[in-house]
């Protein structure tokens, strides 16, 4: 949180810790250049206003695969630079992009280059890597991208990413489930139409293939990139509505420990109280990072316990994470991580009655489930040259769920082994080719799913060409093969076309047409159980969903005080998977390819900063016009109007967040229940005292009483939260 920390003090500490290392780097760069016959570029990136260093700035050599990131002192180096003249671009969150053209490098030369960056009053994203599977400046990809930086996440005073993501442009949450531009709606435990990545590794949960942001390392997050629309041409299954990539930070030069401790209490309305006990939430997260030689390591432990705001709402979460980066000072290091999460959650299906909305049926009280997740990932770059980069990502993900319900003890375990390899080539400064292949095998063991195995194979290619200095074209193609045991296989070809036109610095026009695909999850294909008195049977003929989508968009940055982005989009969905009655069988259901749908709308956002960051406004709006082609009615669980507004004042010491969504027109159950628009207001305060950031937050300030999209599930009561974040 740069606005709430003393950057100059941290700079002095980091400067002392890295002075010897920086000198060694200069000698090493010169030696390497002499050995290889190549040159190097080395220098510093500083803020123009106060000459303080800009850490974590991306320094890119245009038209090549070379790039690096500045350390805590703002220092950087680029090695292996061939003889020639280059353009250097420096991109950092919160700053306007710096460009140094006509930088000449000779054989064996170490070229010194210092760059001053102008601050931006509004939040400006730094380097982007998800939209094109390669590094790009804001406005370069032919897709709509929203970015949440670590500063914005933490100043919202949240304990999971799920609480911050609703304020990303184009993102909507339906009863805690992620939706991008109306693609997903609401379904519990049976598949996500949004692909979730952690540093490029696919991390959807096991049998349900769901997005679960409670398992992600909050204190280690550098930024979250949200790419909107079908992107299966690059990422394959589940990228039907979009891609969310959680990108973690690099261990700093100086040892650092960050602590997040919080306590919260619910203010339950007196007429709905079901207990005399105070309902509260408390949590602790501790993260330590250090470098030992050239190895950087980050360790994290987190724990949270909560009573929840309603009966049978208790939850408990434990998390451990370890990450290693080698060499820590390289822009293309070997990275490895392991995440472990265990959760015990009570289950609340629907309320007891409208007069007692915070209570459950007596027989359901005490129902709970345990979830355990383990993810192990490795990113290796065995080849990293000026015009060639090879990345390899092996991965293992394990998930386990055990119900402890009054009417069932269902359980499942899934293990997914996967690997992908990506090759990026730069034939010239204006031409980039990206190719890759992926393979995965998923095994399931369950009392209601059986023990099926699933194989996914894919290959893809993308070509990006600068047609003129202002116009860039992108074409991509991906072939996916999906085979689930004892069922039909899918072989799907997903193309993509895109254009970006940049008439002036800071202005970008984009157009794209793409096809998306999502394979059925094991839960959709193999479930055999009884739910709420209805029999659910497997469907071995189930096929994947597809989407065809297009968009036209524009983004602009005016000076350092205004950013704006808007896009109109249109999507056609075929073979959507939904629960449906089995023909000829009474009270028996299965998941079937029954729906065809259309979603179109407007996705717009604006950020304004005034009075040298004393006042900042951010607003996002999504308009949705949806239709179920079978019935001609709107799709369920979508709101026509969706708006979030954030107002930060006094350099982010005071904040107000507003979430609004219009009345949901269609639901799947209890259609006669009244439905109303939802407006929720949060108030935030932050202050730094004796090196510790203290934050207070009141969620649902005006005690709005509402149904949280899903029928007969109330939204949270007013909640008070106090957090402290020492960093040392």
């Amino acid at each position: 949180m740069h606005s709430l920390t003393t950057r100059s003090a941290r700079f002095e500490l980091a400067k002392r810790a890295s002075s010897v290392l920086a000198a060694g780097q200069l000698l090493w760069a010169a030696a390497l250049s002499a050995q290889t016959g190549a040159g190097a570029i080395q220098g510093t990136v500083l803020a123009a206003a106060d000459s303080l260093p800009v850490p974590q700035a991306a320094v890119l050599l245009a038209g090549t695969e070379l790039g690096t990131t500045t350390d805590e002192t703002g220092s950087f180096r680029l090695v292996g630079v061939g003889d020639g003249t280059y353009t250097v671009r420096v991109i950092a969150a919160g700053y306007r992009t710096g460009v140094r053209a006509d930088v000449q490098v000779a054989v064996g030369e170490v070229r010194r280059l210092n760059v001053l960056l102008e601050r931006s009053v509004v939040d400006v994203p730094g380097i982007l890597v998800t939209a094109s599977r390669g590094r790009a400046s804001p406005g370069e990809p032919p897709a709509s991208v929203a970015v949440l930086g670590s500063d914005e996440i933490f100043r919202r005073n949240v304990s999971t990413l799920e609480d911050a993501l609703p304020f990303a442009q184009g993102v909507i949450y339906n009863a805690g489930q992620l939706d991008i531009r109306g693609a997903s709606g609401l379904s519990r435990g049976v598949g996500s139409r949004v692909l979730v990545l952690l540093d490029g590794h696919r991390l959807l949960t096991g049998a349900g293939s769901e997005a679960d942001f409670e398992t992600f390392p909050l204190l280690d997050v550098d930024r979250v990139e949200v790419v909107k629309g079908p992107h299966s041409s690059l990422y394959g299954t589940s990228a039907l509505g979009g891609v969310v990539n959680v990108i973690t930070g690099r261990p700093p030069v100086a040892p650092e420990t960050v602590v997040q401790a919080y306590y919260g209490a619910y203010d339950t309305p007196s007429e709905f109280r079901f207990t005399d006990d105070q309902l509260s939430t408390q949590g602790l997260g501790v993260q330590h990072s250090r470098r030992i030689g050239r190895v950087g390591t980050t360790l994290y432990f987190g724990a949270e316990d909560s009573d929840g705001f309603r009966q049978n709402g208790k939850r408990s979460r434990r998390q451990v994470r370890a990450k290693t980066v080698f060499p820590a000072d390289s822009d293309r290091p070997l990275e490895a991580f392991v995440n472990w999460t265990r959760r015990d959650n009570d289950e609340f299906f629907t309320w007891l009655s409208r007069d007692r909305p915070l209570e459950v049926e007596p027989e359901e009280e005490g129902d709970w489930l345990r979830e355990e997740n383990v993810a192990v990932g490795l990113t290796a770059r065995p080849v990293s040259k000026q015009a060639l980069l090879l990345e390899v990502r092996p991965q293992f993900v394990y998930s386990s769920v055990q119900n402890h319900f009054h009417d069932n003890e269902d359980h499942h375990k899934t293990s997914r082994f996967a690997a992908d390899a990506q090759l990026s080539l730069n034939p010239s400064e204006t031409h980039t080719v990206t190719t890759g292949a992926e393979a995965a095998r998923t095994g399931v063991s369950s009392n209601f799913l059986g023990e099926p195995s699933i194989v996914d194979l894919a290959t893809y290619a993308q070509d990006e060409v600068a047609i003129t200095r202002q116009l860039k074209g992108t074409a991509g193609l991906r072939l996916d093969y999906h085979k689930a045991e004892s069922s039909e296989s899918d072989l799907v070809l997903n193309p993509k076309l895109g254009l970006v036109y940049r008439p002036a610095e800071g202005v970008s026009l984009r157009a794209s047409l793409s096809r998306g695909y999502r394979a059925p999850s094991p839960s959709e294909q193999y479930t055999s159980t009884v739910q709420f008195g209805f029999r659910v049977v497997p469907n071995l003929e189930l096929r994947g969903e597809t989407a065809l989508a297009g968009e036209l968009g524009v983004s602009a940055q005016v000076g350092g005080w205004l950013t704006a982005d808007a896009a109109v989009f249109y999507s056609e969905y075929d073979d959507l998977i939904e629960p449906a009655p089995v023909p000829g069988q009474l009270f028996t259901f299965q998941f079937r390819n029954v729906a065809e749908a259309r979603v179109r709308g407007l996705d717009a956002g604006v950020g304004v900063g005034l009075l040298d960051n004393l006042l900042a406004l951010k607003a996002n709006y999504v308009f949705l016009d949806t239709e179920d082609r079978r019935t001609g009615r709107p799709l369920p669980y979508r709101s026509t109007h969706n708006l979030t507004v954030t107002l930060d004042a006094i350099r982010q010491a005071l904040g107000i967040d507003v979430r609004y969504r219009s009345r949901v027109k269609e639901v799947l159950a209890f259609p006669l229940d009244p439905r109303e628009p939802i407006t929720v207001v949060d108030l935030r305060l932050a202050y730094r005292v004796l090196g510790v950031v203290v934050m207070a937050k009141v969620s649902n300030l005006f005690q709005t009483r509402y149904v949280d999209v899903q029928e007969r599930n109330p939204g949270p009561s007013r909640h008070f939260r106090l957090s402290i974040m020492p960093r040392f």
Side-chain angles (χ1 to χ4, degrees):
M1 302 178 64
H2 296 153
S3 60
L4 299 174
T5 57
T6 307
R7 296 177 63 236
S8 58
R10 293 181 62 200
F11 166 55
E12 290 301 325
L13 177 62
K15 185 177 180 180
R16 295 191 187 100
S18 62
S19 58
V20 176
L21 179 63
Q25 289 175 353
L26 182 59
L27 294 174
W28 181 79
L32 182 62
S33 299
Q35 292 172 4
T36 62
I41 301 175
Q42 182 146 343
T44 57
V45 178
L46 303 175
D50 50 22
S51 296
L52 288 176
V54 180
Q56 298 300 309
V59 183
L60 307 180
L61 206 61
T64 76
E65 290 297 325
L66 295 182
T68 189
T69 303
T70 59
D71 62 19
E72 279 74 7
T73 67
S75 301
F76 71 90
R77 77 171 190 279
L78 285 168
V79 298
V81 182
D83 185 22
T85 302
Y86 300 92
T87 297
V88 177
R89 300 179 68 88
V90 182
I91 306 166
Y95 292 85
R96 302 175 66 181
T97 299
V99 180
R100 295 289 297 272
D102 300 324
V103 177
Q104 296 182 344
V105 180
V107 173
E109 176 190 9
V110 178
R111 173 68 187 274
R112 293 290 305 180
L113 184 69
N114 296 322
V115 181
L116 298 178
L117 296 184
E118 299 287 343
R119 292 186 189 276
S120 175
V121 178
V122 295
D123 288 331
V124 177
I127 194 72
L128 305 175
V129 300
T130 309
S132 59
R133 293 190 79 131
R135 293 181 293 201
S137 305
E140 284 188 336
S144 293
V145 182
V147 180
L148 289 180
S150 59
D151 281 4
E152 180 177 357
I153 292 170
F154 284 116
R155 71 173 178 257
R156 293 193 184 279
N157 193 1
V158 298
S159 53
T160 69
L161 285 175
E162 186 175 300
D163 298 326
L165 274 169
F167 293 94
Q169 183 185 334
V171 173
I172 304 167
Y173 261 83
N174 301 321
Q177 296 195 23
L178 179 66
D179 179 19
I180 296 179
R181 289 180 172 176
S184 298
L186 175 65
S187 61
R188 296 183 66 165
V190 291
S192 172
R193 293 186 181 123
V194 176
L195 176 61
V196 178
L197 307 173
L198 176 61
D199 290 326
H201 291 266
R202 180 185 297 264
L203 278 190
L204 294 175
T205 61
S209 296
E210 296 177 278
D212 183 3
F213 290 99
E214 286 192 356
T215 65
F216 283 70
L218 185 66
L219 291 182
D220 198 27
V221 172
D222 176 68
R223 66 188 186 277
V224 180
E225 296 183 4
V226 180
V227 185
K228 294 167 279 189
H231 287 280
S232 295
S233 59
L234 282 178
Y235 290 100
T237 181
S238 295
L240 199 70
V243 179
V244 177
N245 192 5
V246 179
I247 300 169
T248 61
R250 192 68 58 83
V253 173
E256 181 181 70
T257 299
V258 183
V259 178
Q260 182 189 36
Y262 53 91
Y263 175 84
Y266 289 98
D267 178 20
T268 306
S270 58
E271 63 270 34
F272 298 145
R273 289 188 67 87
F274 55 88
T275 177
D276 293 330
D277 296 334
Q278 174 63 61
L279 302 178
S280 63
T281 299
Q282 50 275 327
L284 176 69
V286 180
Q287 178 172 288
H288 179 73
S289 302
R290 67 168 49 242
R291 294 188 182 184
I292 302 175
R294 299 184 66 197
V295 178
T297 301
T298 297
L299 301 174
Y300 170 81
F301 169 78
E304 182 184 63
D305 293 285
S306 176
D307 299 317
F309 64 93
R310 54 194 179 185
Q311 190 180 44
N312 225 54
K314 289 184 178 181
R315 64 181 187 273
S316 174
R317 183 176 78 246
R318 302 291 183 267
Q319 291 178 269
V320 177
R321 170 175 165 83
K323 181 179 69 175
T324 299
V325 179
F326 173 80
D329 55 347
S330 170
D331 184 57
R332 304 290 195 186
L334 180 73
E335 301 175 79
F337 70 86
V338 56
N339 292 355
W340 172 83
T341 305
R342 190 185 72 191
R343 293 182 299 181
D344 294 339
N345 288 347
D346 286 358
E347 194 66 46
F348 186 105
F349 288 108
T350 59
W351 64 38
L352 180 61
S353 68
R354 181 169 298 279
D355 295 331
R356 300 167 69 181
L358 301 182
E359 301 176 55
V360 297
E361 295 287 349
E363 63 269 19
E364 294 178 7
E365 188 173 358
D367 285 359
W368 68 284
L369 60 85
R370 169 166 289 182
E371 301 177 67
E372 190 166 8
N373 297 283
V374 178
V376 182
L378 174 71
T379 301
R381 300 171 177 93
V383 180
S384 180
K385 297 182 178 180
Q386 180 167 327
L388 179 66
L389 174 66
L390 174 63
E391 297 180 284
V392 180
R393 291 187 181 90
Q395 178 191 45
F396 169 72
V397 178
Y398 168 84
S399 299
S400 171
V401 177
Q402 172 67 65
N403 292 349
H404 297 275
F405 297 165
H406 70 282
D407 56 356
N408 80 71
E409 293 282 331
D410 285 347
H411 61 83
H412 65 76
K413 298 178 181 179
T414 61
S415 299
R416 184 176 188 270
F417 296 88
D420 70 85
Q422 177 177 308
L423 184 66
S424 303
L425 305 121
N426 287 87
S428 69
E429 184 177 347
T430 60
H431 190 189
T432 301
V433 177
T434 303
T435 63
E438 298 181 15
R441 182 188 182 278
T442 303
V444 181
S445 176
S446 169
N447 70 310
F448 68 97
L449 298 172
E451 297 187 358
S453 62
I454 300 165
V455 173
D456 290 283
L457 303 173
T459 183
Y460 61 89
Q462 177 178 269
D463 197 357
E464 298 177 274
V465 179
I467 302 169
T468 69
R469 290 180 60 88
Q470 297 171 308
L471 182 64
K472 184 177 182 179
T474 301
L477 190 66
R478 178 178 174 118
L479 180 65
D480 273 283
Y481 172 79
H482 174 84
K483 180 66 172 73
E485 188 175 323
S486 302
S487 70
E488 296 290 331
S489 62
D490 275 344
L491 186 64
V492 183
L493 196 64
N494 296 308
K496 179 184 76 170
L497 294 172
L499 286 173
V500 176
Y501 178 63
R502 308 187 75 175
E505 185 67 30
V507 179
S508 175
L509 306 175
R510 61 185 182 273
S512 66
L513 181 66
S514 56
R515 189 174 190 269
Y517 165 74
R518 182 181 78 87
S521 70
S523 293
E524 291 167 319
Q525 198 153 27
Y526 294 101
T527 293
S528 177
T529 188
V530 176
Q531 292 282 342
F532 308 110
F534 296 97
R535 180 69 180 166
V536 183
V537 298
N539 183 1
L540 299 183
E541 297 179 357
L542 195 64
R543 306 296 295 271
E545 306 172 328
T546 59
L548 182 63
E551 77 161 61
L552 296 172
V554 58
S555 62
Q557 180 180 349
V558 179
W561 62 275
L562 173 65
T563 62
D565 181 271
V568 291
F569 57 90
Y570 185 96
S571 301
E572 291 277 356
Y573 297 91
D574 291 321
D575 294 328
L576 290 184
I577 299 171
E578 289 186 1
V582 177
Q585 299 185 36
L586 193 63
F587 301 118
T588 302
F589 290 77
Q590 65 181 182
F591 290 95
R592 302 170 63 88
N593 297 110
V594 295
E596 295 183 2
R598 182 260 299 152
V599 178
R600 61 188 178 190
L602 170 68
D603 173 13
V606 63
V608 181
L610 302 172
L611 304 176
D612 192 26
N613 211 25
L614 288 176
L615 188 65
L617 174 70
K618 180 180 179 181
N620 298 317
Y621 171 71
V622 178
F623 168 78
L624 293 177
D625 177 22
T626 69
E627 182 184 15
D628 185 332
R629 295 296 200 190
R630 301 169 302 171
T631 65
R633 299 185 62 82
L635 293 174
Y637 305 111
R638 276 77 165 182
S639 296
T640 302
H641 305 285
N642 306 267
L643 175 69
T644 64
V645 178
T646 294
L647 180 66
D648 286 305
I650 319 175
R651 292 182 173 85
Q652 301 164 359
L654 170 66
I656 298 174
D657 301 322
V658 181
R659 289 165 288 158
Y660 168 81
R661 61 184 300 166
S662 59
R663 176 183 179 273
V664 173
K665 295 181 179 179
E666 292 287 329
V667 296
L668 292 179
F670 311 114
L672 299 181
D673 282 6
R675 297 187 295 275
E676 301 293 338
I678 301 170
T679 303
V680 179
V681 179
D682 302 337
L683 174 66
R684 295 177 282 110
L685 298 171
Y687 188 72
R688 181 178 177 86
V689 54
L690 299 177
V692 178
V693 177
V694 180
M695 294 179 287
K697 182 177 181 178
V698 184
S699 301
N700 195 359
L701 178 65
F702 299 114
Q703 194 67 288
T704 301
R705 300 174 188 175
Y706 62 98
V707 174
D708 192 12
V709 181
Q710 185 174 3
E711 307 95 308
R712 303 186 179 183
N713 272 252
S717 310
R718 182 187 293 130
H719 182 244
F720 302 93
R721 175 186 168 105
L722 181 67
S723 300
I724 59 171
M725 288 190 64
R727 185 187 299 265
F728 49 89

